[in-house]
Structure formats: structure tokens, C-alpha cells
């Protein structure tokens, strides 16, 4: 694959480009069920609208000049809605760090199939976390997504195990790693 570059987006830029990101989401997670892409796209747009308003929201896009993937995240606090959905299944020390705003969550890391196995996902997660001054990062991955689990394992993230399904979503696996600070 040709070289690519990474570009950070402001909140405003992310909101302005939410349509293309929703399209990328559908492409990255398309499982072939007819009619599901509209529902999946709408679900992504609802989540993205909430996520972009979170404290310390940060987003990175890989391009060459076409979009190849993106990652975004934010600081999570244990009194926030995100933590209430998953916090009960995670270690107590991680919960303590959320009380002081020291946990950064990778809310989404998506790379469409045409751009996979090219280093895009690795560079996206590295670049996204590079500016964070949080003590730990956390990511949730759909249980059984072996490709994503293999990537987090290769990046030296710790598998914290399965966390309960919340809001009707399927079980997730939690991954975490310390951040230099």
C-alpha cells in the first residue's frame, strides 16, 4: 500500500464529516445482512453525536488522500453514562482511575477491509494515544472479534476479560494498557 498520513480533527471537523465516517463504519463492519447497513449507520451516528461531546474528545484520520480509517476517543469518568454501561465488570483499580479522569477510552477504531493489514490501525491507535496524558487507556471489542483481539494483543494491551452486555448490545471484551505519563 502507498504511504498514508495521519490528520487530527477538531470537534467541529469531526461533526462536519460525520456522514463519511458513518459510511466508513458500515464498510468496516458490514456483515452482509441485507437492510442492516441503514440501522448500523443510524446507530453509529447516534453514538458519534454523543461521543464527540465528551471531555477531551480526540480524533485521528488516516488518508492517502482517500480515507483509510479513523480512531477516536475521550476521557471517561465513572459518573458518566459510558462507564455505567461497562464499569461493573472491570478491575477496581481502573474504576479508581476513572474517578480522577485518568482513563482514556478508544471509543472507535475502524479500518475498512481494503485498508487492513497495512499498519493503518496500528498507527491510528498510537497517534490517538500519543497526546493523552491519562494513566490508562481502555478499549471495548465485540466478543469473538478475533481480528481485533489479535491486534490489541499484538499492541501489548492487557485482556481484562468479558464485560456484561449493556443497553441490549452483545458482550464485549475489555482491553487496557498503561500510558506513558
Amino acid at each position: 500500500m502507498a504511504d498514508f498520513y495521519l490528520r487530527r480533527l477538531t470537534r467541529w471537523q469531526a461533526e462536519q464529516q460525520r456522514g463519511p465516517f458513518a459510511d466508513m463504519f458500515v464498510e468496516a463492519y458490514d456483515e452482509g445482512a441485507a437492510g442492516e447497513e441503514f440501522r448500523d449507520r443510524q446507530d453509529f451516528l447516534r453514538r458519534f453525536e454523543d461521543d464527540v461531546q465528551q471531555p477531551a474528545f480526540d480524533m485521528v484520520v488516516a488518508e492517502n488522500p482517500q480515507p483509510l480509517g479513523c480512531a477516536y476517543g475521550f476521557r471517561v469518568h465513572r459518573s458518566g453514562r459510558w462507564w455505567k454501561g461497562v464499569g461493573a465488570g472491570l478491575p477496581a483499580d481502573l474504576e479508581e482511575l476513572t474517578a480522577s479522569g485518568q482513563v482514556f477510552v478508544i471509543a472507535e477504531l475502524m479500518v475498512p477491509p481494503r485498508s487492513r493489514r497495512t499498519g493503518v490501525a496500528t498507527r491510528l491507535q498510537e497517534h490517538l494515544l500519543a497526546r493523552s496524558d491519562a494513566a490508562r487507556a481502555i478499549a471495548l471489542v465485540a466478543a469473538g472479534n478475533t481480528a481485533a483481539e489479535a491486534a490489541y494483543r499484538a499492541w501489548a494491551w492487557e485482556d481484562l476479560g468479558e464485560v456484561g452486555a449493556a443497553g441490549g448490545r452483545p458482550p464485549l471484551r475489555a482491553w487496557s494498557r498503561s500510558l506513558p505519563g
Side-chain angles (χ1 to χ4, degrees), residues 133-144:
D133 61 353
R136 294 208 51 93
I138 188 168
L140 300 178
V141 174

Side-chain angles (χ1 to χ4, degrees), residues 36-37 61 81 85 93 102 107 123 133 139 166-167 172 181:
E36 287 296 307
E37 61 276 354
V61 179
R81 186 174 67 226
D93 63 328
Q102 289 299 306
R123 296 243 336 258
D133 61 353
L172 301 168

Side-chain angles (χ1 to χ4, degrees), residues 86 140-145 149 161-166 168-174:
V86 297
L140 300 178
V141 174
N145 184 340
E149 291 174 359
E162 200 167 286
V163 295
R169 69 180 176 212
L172 301 168
R173 289 202 78 75

Side-chain angles (χ1 to χ4, degrees), residues 54-90:
Q54 297 299 317
F57 174 84
D58 199 5
M59 185 168 191
V60 179
V61 179
E63 300 171 317
N64 80 341
Q66 300 85 9
L68 303 175
C70 71
Y72 70 84
F74 48 86
R75 283 184 181 266
V76 65
H77 195 276
R78 75 174 171 194
S79 64
R81 186 174 67 226
W82 187 92
W83 186 256
K84 288 184 193 305
V86 297
L90 296 174

Side-chain angles (χ1 to χ4, degrees), residues 4-24:
F4 60 92
Y5 58 93
L6 301 173
R7 182 171 60 99
R8 287 196 178 276
L9 299 183
T10 65
R11 265 182 229 270
W12 182 83
Q13 290 170 319
E15 288 174 336
Q16 295 302 309
Q17 296 178 44
R18 68 182 174 270
F21 295 133
D23 295 340
M24 183 187 300

Side-chain angles (χ1 to χ4, degrees), residues 87-107:
L90 296 174
D93 63 328
L94 196 56
E95 184 176 358
E96 290 173 18
L97 286 172
T98 63
S100 60
Q102 289 299 306
V103 176
F104 185 88
V105 62
I106 294 183

